[in-house]
Each structure stands twice: as structure tokens, then as C-alpha cells.
Amino acid sequence: MCGRYTITVTLEELLARYEAENMSAEYQPRYNIAPGQMVPAVIAGAEGRRLGMLRWGLVPPWADDPKIGNRMINARAETLEERPAYRNAYRTKRCLIPADGFYEWKKIAGGPSRPFRITLRGGGLFSLAGLYETWTSPDGDRLHTCAVLTTEPNRLMADIHDRMPVILRKEDEDLWLDRRVREPAKLAGLLAPYPAEEMEAYEVGRLVGNVANDVPACLEKANG
């Protein structure tokens, strides 16, 4: 799964990387993003890319209770066509979720799990493949939400966890965002594990285990 991640660049850097129009004043660098929080996302607008904020945890339009989003932070790439909650969004409401790292916990026999931060080799921004939806309450209030797609782990991730987020190559981002593309067969090739040799991982301290800790120290390598 993907349950925590980071995006530590400035707003100016983010807008420049995605060549996007800013639709939100809420953005700030984050070091320990957790489900249920508002996250920056890029979608395709009529006149180009737009950057806005979505709540992490997808709520389908037909849901009776928005709390369903608490259980829908990740969508398995292998079953998107089978899940009613994701099927329509996969065809028409795809987004990019910018990140520069994500956390995963490695299970240790006889001991506590150890947190790792995974990045591109050499650092830098990358795009997690996401889906988004809009849910409307009986009173007419609108809630914009998203989920991160996950896939099988690559060689690097397999030693840490049995899933990893879908990371898109920069040259594939336009295809993923193109709302005119509605055939899953044209998108399936983008959902493969990102090459292990282009990524790296390092153990971090247990500070990241508490969602209240959203500070640069979360990025630091663990002692020893």
C-alpha cells in the first residue's frame, strides 16, 4: 500500500515542474502526509493543467457516507475494472499526485517494523498515479477526494513491502491526464512497477510513525 508520503518543494517549484495553473492557496511543503488530509493534485483542465487540493481517501459519488473514504486511500491497479468505486474514475477522472518520496514499514520478525523512505535515485519530484471523484452531500456541499494507485513491488520494494505506488514516467503524464482516453487497454501499460534501479531507499527514524510529526526531521536517516 501507500499510506504516507512527502512533498517538500516550494509552490513555485511545483508549478514549474507541472506547468500548471495554481487553483489553491493551501499548499505548503509536507514531510509526513497521511490519509484523510488535503493533498496537492494535478488534473487536466480545459485550458491546461491545474493544481488543486483533494482529500486523500476516495469517496464515490454514490456513497451514502463520506467516511467510506477512510478505507479507500489506495486502489489496486490490477482490479480497477472490477471495483465500482474506481471503474468510472479510471476512465474519466485521473490525476497526478506529486511527491518526492514515500514511506513504507518493513516487517521484522520478532521486533517492531522499521520505517523506510523511498525516493528516485538522486532525488527529485515524481508523479503518483491517482484517481479523483466529487461527492455531494444531501445539503449540496461538495467533497473532492482522491486515491493513489498501487501495483506489485519492484525488486527494491519487495524487500520492504508487498505493494508499491504506481509511479508514472514524466513522458506518460499527459496520457494519464488525457480525459479523452477512456479505454483501459491504452492505460494498462502505465501501471507497471517503476524500475528498481532508478529508485533508492533508506531507513528513517520512528518520528514518522506519528502523523502529528510533519517536520523536516522525518526525512533524516535513522541513527545506526
Side-chain angles (χ1 to χ4, degrees), residues 149-169:
L149 271 60
T150 66
T151 188
E152 296 179 351
N154 59 24
R155 185 178 67 257
L156 173 74
M157 282 301 302
D159 185 55
I160 302 172
H161 199 272
D162 62 359
R163 301 291 293 176
M164 68 177 291
V166 173
I167 299 173
L168 299 170
R169 289 192 174 279

Side-chain angles (χ1 to χ4, degrees), residues 74-93:
N74 292 157
R76 294 176 67 94
E78 300 90 336
T79 58
L80 292 174
E81 282 294 284
E82 303 168 16
R83 298 287 302 277
Y86 304 128
R87 189 182 301 135
N88 182 65
Y90 182 34
R91 287 179 166 84
T92 64
K93 294 182 179 180

